[in-house]
Amino acid sequence: MTVAQDLAVLRQPAFRRYFVGRSVSELGTTMTQVALPFAVFGIGGDAGDVGLVLGAAVLPKIVFVLLGGVAGDRLERRKVLLGTDVCMALCQSVAAVLLLSGTGRVWHLALLQIVYGCAAAFALPATTGAVPDIAPEDRLQQANSLMRVARNAFGIIGPPCAGVLVAVAGAGWALAVDAASFAVAAVAMAGLPAGLRTRRPHARLLRDVAEGWHTFTSRPWIWMMVASFAVYQATVLPTIYVIGPQVAESTVGVTGWAAVLTARAVGALAAGFPLLRWRPRGPLTLAAALLLLDVPFLVALWSGAGLAVLLVCAAVASGGLNAADTLWETALQERVPSDVIARVSSYDWLGSLAFAPLGYAAVGGAVDGFGIRDTLFAITVVHVVIHTVLPCLRTVRRTERPDRAVAVPLEAGGDA
């Protein structure tokens, strides 16, 4: 297997354009995640204002993601992605101008983030549906893995670039870069072939939502996996990002914790490469089992392990999560009809978006009420039970690939 075969999906012109557009916008987004808090501080805001601005983009995603799923199936997905990229570019452009001109206020940024969150609610389900429209069916996993490799690479590169830009030129310029990245993505989406899966345009909205719900609930393997992911989002991830810094404060320190987070990014990046060529026969069974790789990391936090152990466990855990996400996304695209995939994906996104904020609050409250060790122990037990039982369920085990091939390498394909 050669590098050219690993990257064969990039020989498809439509996917190549899509890949470049989404990757560039991902770089801008990672820079904004660092720059936006400093933008708030720079205009006189405090920590509460930072929480307000950052949280302003979350609620619209929860409220409108189901509607976004309907749009992703009812409308031409190319136009949905083009429109959302243009909207997000405008939001970040206005924010950048307000900051650079010295006229920006906290409420300006919060309002713009609300609009940004609305656009994201429509973009998220459409991205899941768009990949099967432009990538060959036998290369869906390769396409998804390649997208995650780029996303994780920019997750490592973006924050330090943003830090330097904020320090040298100000947060407004970092937001300007993000706006430019969405403009590049919009140009890329505009160049995609027309007709990316258009449904009947005059169907009733509630009927569309109900049809998506029926597809979601009629396939037990979907709602079981989504339920497990929702619990994961509400327990394990808040544990890492709420309890982790508290543990690190008395063990490895702030710089040590920063190294742990970097190790997680590196682990996520590395996990994408094997899936460019390896196609496991039982992707969902493997995906559920891979999430158990978080257990050593949780135990390491619970036991107050040293930095070396934390770094290794963090990289392995994040690699497992990234690989599981790739396998899951590919399974959806392979097994859910294309005319309903965006709506099914919107329920998946809703499970992640709705329960994560509640989880952060609940984990913080549990730490205050029961202490760090008891909270970590309880969450670890719940995690082990769910992701030990899930791979054993028949409905999950039966979702093997149609060709029943084990570790079959992808053959190189020609240009589209």
Side-chain angles (χ1 to χ4, degrees), residues 16-363:
R16 184 167 61 244
R17 178 178 287 273
Y18 178 85
F19 172 78
V20 171
R22 296 261 70 86
S23 299
V24 171
S25 68
E26 189 66 32
L27 175 61
T29 299
T30 59
M31 293 180 66
T32 295
Q33 291 169 352
V34 174
L36 201 54
F38 290 99
V40 175
F41 291 138
I43 58 178
D46 55 20
D49 293 324
V50 171
L52 174 66
V53 171
L54 295 181
V58 176
L59 185 58
K61 293 178 187 178
I62 297 173
V63 173
F64 294 112
V65 71
L66 294 183
L67 185 58
V70 172
D73 284 332
R74 176 186 290 190
L75 305 177
E76 189 180 335
R77 289 174 187 147
R78 175 180 66 95
K79 293 181 179 178
V80 173
L81 293 174
L82 172 61
T84 55
D85 282 334
V86 169
C87 181
M88 289 187 277
L90 290 174
C91 286
Q92 303 301 63
S93 296
V94 173
V97 170
L98 289 172
L99 291 171
L100 294 174
S101 65
T103 59
R105 300 292 183 267
V106 170
W107 71 268
H108 292 153
L109 298 182
L111 181 60
L112 288 168
Q113 287 301 298
I114 290 174
V115 178
Y116 181 98
C118 290
F122 284 80
L124 293 174
T127 56
T128 302
V131 174
D133 288 333
I134 56 178
E137 185 176 357
D138 63 340
R139 303 196 200 288
L140 284 177
Q141 181 179 295
Q142 189 180 74
N144 289 322
S145 187
L146 192 60
M147 293 295 300
R148 287 189 176 275
V149 166
R151 183 185 309 168
N152 290 315
F154 286 133
I156 297 173
I157 298 171
C161 290
V164 172
L165 189 57
V166 170
V168 173
W173 284 108
L175 291 176
V177 170
D178 192 21
S181 75
F182 280 115
V184 171
V187 172
M189 297 306 107
L192 291 178
L196 293 186
R197 189 57 60 186
T198 302
R199 291 189 71 249
R200 54 189 186 276
H202 302 297
R204 293 181 180 179
L205 176 62
L206 292 181
R207 181 178 299 174
D208 272 351
V209 173
E211 185 179 6
W213 176 251
H214 173 73
T215 304
F216 178 81
T217 56
S218 65
R219 292 163 169 78
W221 63 270
I222 296 181
W223 64 258
M224 286 180 180
M225 292 294 289
V226 171
S228 75
F229 294 152
V231 174
Y232 184 92
Q233 291 277 352
T235 56
V236 177
L237 290 186
T239 295
I240 294 171
Y241 294 108
V242 173
I243 296 180
Q246 292 180 276
V247 173
E249 191 175 21
S250 59
T251 54
V252 298
V254 176
T255 55
W257 184 245
V260 169
L261 295 182
T262 302
R264 286 185 61 83
V266 172
L269 174 62
F273 292 103
L275 293 180
L276 289 174
R277 61 178 65 181
W278 180 46
R279 300 181 71 203
R281 187 179 70 180
L284 293 188
T285 303
L286 179 59
L290 282 170
L291 293 178
L292 290 172
L293 294 177
D294 276 299
V295 173
F297 185 50
L298 295 175
V299 172
L301 288 175
W302 179 81
S303 62
L307 181 59
V309 173
L310 284 173
L311 291 175
V312 173
C313 291
V316 170
S318 185
L321 174 61
N322 185 79
D325 283 344
T326 300
L327 293 170
W328 163 247
E329 189 171 21
T330 304
L332 276 183
Q333 294 165 344
E334 289 178 337
R335 292 164 177 80
V336 176
S338 184
D339 62 349
V340 76
I341 180 64
R343 282 169 288 169
V344 171
S345 176
S346 70
Y347 285 105
D348 181 21
W349 279 108
L350 182 63
S352 299
L353 295 170
F355 288 99
L358 297 176
Y360 279 92
V363 169

